[in-house]
Each structure stands twice: as C-alpha cells, then as structure tokens.
Amino acid sequence: AELRQAVLAGLFRTTPMSAQGLRLAANGHHCEHLLALRAALVAEAGPPLESALRAVLSQGATSGAALAAGLIAGLESRLGSVTRRAIG
C-alpha cells in the first residue's frame, strides 16, 4: 500500500505516457514480459533469465530498460525491507 501511494504521488515527475504505465502498475496491471522477468529473477517457474530480460529490453527505445531497472529496484527495496525486519 505504501509503495502504491508513493508511485501515485510521484506521477507528476514523469511523462504522461510513463505516468499511465505507472498508474496501471500501481493498480495491479502488469505486462506479460515484465511478469516473466520477475519470475525469472526470483527463481519461480518461468523462462530463462536471459530470454526474459531480452523480451523486456525489446520494448521501445528505452522503455524496456527503464521497466527492467524499475523492477530490479523494487525487488531490491522489498528484499532490503524484509531483511531489515528479519534481522530486527
């Protein structure tokens, strides 16, 4: 809930097209390629990491790279939060 609120609050910082994509993601709508990359990164059943990453990177001129970077940053943030709670 906090991440969703933070994403929605920061939409003014990006382009209208990116804002729409972030709005959709914040409301639970994700592209198939990004979900496959997430699955590959967290070792769930899914395609090999390299092919999943290539599929995301093929989206637009720079959009795919931005999506991949955002996904990785989000996973790192989540992992850090879980680790801090576990260590206590």
Side-chain angles (χ1 to χ4, degrees), residues 3 41 66-80:
L3 178 58
L41 285 167
L67 282 170
L71 174 65
I72 292 167
L75 290 172
E76 287 177 336
S77 175
R78 178 74 175 133
L79 179 59

Side-chain angles (χ1 to χ4, degrees), residues 3-85:
L3 178 58
R4 180 181 182 278
Q5 291 172 344
V7 168
L8 293 174
L11 292 179
F12 70 93
R13 296 181 184 163
T14 190
T15 65
M17 181 183 241
S18 292
Q20 180 61 18
L22 290 168
R23 193 175 295 107
L24 287 168
N27 288 307
H29 303 281
H30 310 285
C31 72
E32 186 177 328
H33 294 309
L34 199 59
L35 292 175
L37 179 57
R38 183 195 57 84
L41 285 167
V42 298
E44 294 179 2
L49 179 57
E50 185 175 340
S51 64
L53 181 57
R54 285 183 192 277
V56 171
L57 293 176
S58 72
Q59 304 299 303
T62 60
S63 298
L67 282 170
L71 174 65
I72 292 167
L75 290 172
E76 287 177 336
S77 175
R78 178 74 175 133
L79 179 59
S81 174
V82 169
T83 302
R84 284 189 295 278
R85 281 197 308 269

